[in-house]
Amino acid sequence: MTTSAQGPDSYGLRPQAVEFPMMLVLSLVYPCNARCPHCPYTNSNIRKEYKDAPYMSEAIFKTIADEAGRYGAYLRISGGGEPMLHRQATDLFVYAKNAGCRVGLITNGSKFTPESCRRLIEGGVDAIEFSVDACTAETYEAVRTGLDWETLEANIRAMLALRNQLGGKSRIICSAVQQKGIDMEAVEAFWVGEIGVDALIRRKFLTWGVNTVLDDTRSADPSAYLDTETVPCPFIFERLNIDSRGNVMVCGYDISCNTNLGNVTTETLRDIWHGPGFQYYRERHLAGRGREIGLCSGCPDWQYRSWQHNYWKVLDTAEHARTETLRQLGPHDDPGVITQGTPP
Ligand code: SF4
């Protein structure tokens, strides 16, 4: 078992995922205060389908965090909407940290307050990732419809300044989708070079099976990371997705939760991870027969998954930048420890 892509024997559960998934991607929230044209939720009926469960409950979140924390797993707070719209957002993230999880937040950056910034930094949230997609107000307002450029810039500057002041452990990251009309070099020069965030993620323009009409016209880099004829999809060997109802999806491509491999209120995540659903997907992919699975055969995003160019590398790159920034800044205030939300 290795993460290198040398041949069929090289693939399998990543060493850190043998017992439990390395990453749990949570759809904490479905509502959003933006209408980004490349967003699969903007371009589908999924938000309407989750009207009965627009926000993950505290009980479901804590069930996930309590189990994941025992394995030091990474909770990636993402999914169908803006996570900071959850009124318990910061309390839940701090709870997960205190339970032993690593926590990474993906946000549009519009809903922070000085208090929530401080709680996230003091709580030791591992990564705060801002979806920026632009480096000018004009472009931002076109690709992040409904959001305000000045608010974004102010909030990122404030988060970064606080992290640096407190010597916090949070990596501050920006991300941009590689779509036409976006000058990625300029985006990186602005956010990393000028503002000083720790890293920029250059995302492929993914279709999620929903943005297919847009893909030909909007993607600025359709080159594949892997050959789907010979290389298994890496996601099923490292991570899983959970919706606001606690249902487990096989991967992030199934954003409508058609696969539903179990529910965290009735089964442990460890059992689901080792259950027949995931085994079926893994065995087919390892045998070079992933295309026989209905979901995977129609997955245009498989080619953009990667065994090498992945989120773990971004975290390492950002961590190096964070420590270097703090080293250059010298001694800082002690961020202390937040204990509110400590698990029982
Ligand atoms: S190939 Fe696509 S649908 Fe299949 S597991 Fe990978 S991401 Fe999911």
Side-chain angles (χ1 to χ4, degrees), residues 3-57:
T3 56
S4 71
Q6 301 302 311
D9 293 340
S10 302
Y11 305 112
L13 279 171
R14 292 191 189 270
Q16 305 95 317
V18 168
E19 279 291 312
F20 193 81
M22 297 164 70
M23 180 188 291
L24 312 174
V25 184
L26 306 191
S27 292
L28 183 78
V29 164
Y30 282 88
C32 192
N33 57 329
R35 299 177 307 284
C36 306
H38 60 266
C39 173
Y41 297 92
T42 299
N43 297 320
S44 71
N45 286 323
I46 295 170
R47 289 192 173 123
K48 285 186 188 150
E49 290 161 10
Y50 276 89
K51 272 203 165 151
D52 64 307
Y55 302 97
M56 183 178 284
S57 70

Side-chain angles (χ1 to χ4, degrees), residues 233 235-236 250-253 281 285 295-296 299 301-302 305:
C233 175
F235 275 18
I236 47 181
V250 72
C251 67
Y253 176 67
Y281 276 83
H285 274 259
L295 187 75
C296 302
C299 175
D301 300 338
W302 179 355
R305 311 308 188 201

Side-chain angles (χ1 to χ4, degrees), residues 248-326:
V248 173
M249 299 160 266
V250 72
C251 67
Y253 176 67
D254 182 23
I255 56 176
S256 297
C257 196
N258 292 313
T259 46
N260 197 353
L261 299 183
N263 188 284
V264 301
T265 62
T266 53
E267 297 169 78
T268 66
L269 281 160
R270 187 183 183 285
D271 283 349
I272 295 170
W273 184 238
H274 293 285
F278 273 101
Q279 280 184 25
Y280 171 81
Y281 276 83
R282 291 187 198 120
E283 285 168 9
R284 287 287 184 290
H285 274 259
L286 288 176
R289 296 168 57 194
R291 289 273 168 214
E292 294 176 12
I293 302 172
L295 187 75
C296 302
S297 68
C299 175
D301 300 338
W302 179 355
Q303 63 185 316
Y304 300 134
R305 311 308 188 201
S306 174
W307 289 82
Q308 291 98 5
H309 305 288
N310 52 41
Y311 188 68
W312 312 110
K313 272 181 72 175
V314 171
L315 284 182
D316 287 347
T317 301
E319 177 61 10
H320 180 76
R322 183 192 73 86
T323 52
E324 181 58 19
T325 297
L326 295 183

Side-chain angles (χ1 to χ4, degrees), residues 8-234:
D9 293 340
S10 302
Y11 305 112
L13 279 171
R14 292 191 189 270
Q16 305 95 317
V18 168
E19 279 291 312
F20 193 81
M22 297 164 70
M23 180 188 291
L24 312 174
V25 184
L26 306 191
S27 292
L28 183 78
V29 164
Y30 282 88
C32 192
N33 57 329
R35 299 177 307 284
C36 306
H38 60 266
C39 173
Y41 297 92
T42 299
N43 297 320
S44 71
N45 286 323
I46 295 170
R47 289 192 173 123
K48 285 186 188 150
E49 290 161 10
Y50 276 89
K51 272 203 165 151
D52 64 307
Y55 302 97
M56 183 178 284
S57 70
E58 177 181 350
I60 287 179
F61 184 92
K62 288 184 173 178
T63 297
I64 295 167
D66 288 344
E67 186 181 358
R70 293 199 288 275
Y71 298 92
Y74 198 97
L75 297 193
R76 193 107 178 263
I77 313 296
S78 172
E82 168 49 39
M84 291 305 292
L85 291 175
H86 197 299
R87 64 184 173 80
Q88 295 167 285
T90 51
D91 285 346
L92 294 179
F93 305 155
V94 172
Y95 179 94
K97 280 300 300 176
N98 289 335
C101 300
R102 291 175 293 156
V103 176
L105 167 66
I106 302 178
T107 174
N108 66 29
S110 66
K111 291 293 176 187
F112 290 106
T113 63
E115 187 197 16
S116 62
C117 287
R118 181 169 281 273
R119 283 183 56 75
L120 291 174
I121 299 291
E122 290 182 337
V125 166
D126 296 81
I128 302 167
E129 178 189 324
F130 293 87
S131 306
V132 297
D133 288 329
C135 59
T136 65
E138 185 184 12
T139 309
Y140 184 72
E141 280 154 22
V143 296
R144 309 293 297 178
T145 310
L147 301 175
D148 176 63
W149 168 256
E150 289 183 9
T151 302
L152 175 79
E153 186 180 341
N155 283 346
I156 295 179
R157 284 184 186 273
M159 189 75 83
L160 193 58
L162 187 65
R163 191 284 306 271
N164 290 344
Q165 176 199 339
L166 298 179
K169 297 196 182 316
S170 305
R171 303 159 179 91
I172 309 297
I173 297 169
C174 288
S175 70
V177 174
Q178 301 185 85
Q179 50 188 319
K180 288 177 183 164
I182 305 296
D183 181 343
M184 294 298 282
E185 301 307 321
V187 170
E188 182 153 3
F190 180 74
W191 290 109
V192 180
E194 189 175 329
I195 302 294
V197 303
D198 299 320
L200 176 80
I201 298 175
R202 299 180 184 222
R203 289 197 192 294
K204 293 284 190 181
F205 187 103
L206 296 181
T207 70
W208 313 96
V210 173
N211 290 334
T212 48
V213 174
L214 296 172
D215 189 43
D216 287 344
T217 55
R218 296 289 295 275
S219 175
D221 180 14
S223 61
Y225 283 142
L226 57 74
D227 178 359
T228 59
E229 295 295 326
T230 57
V231 182
C233 175

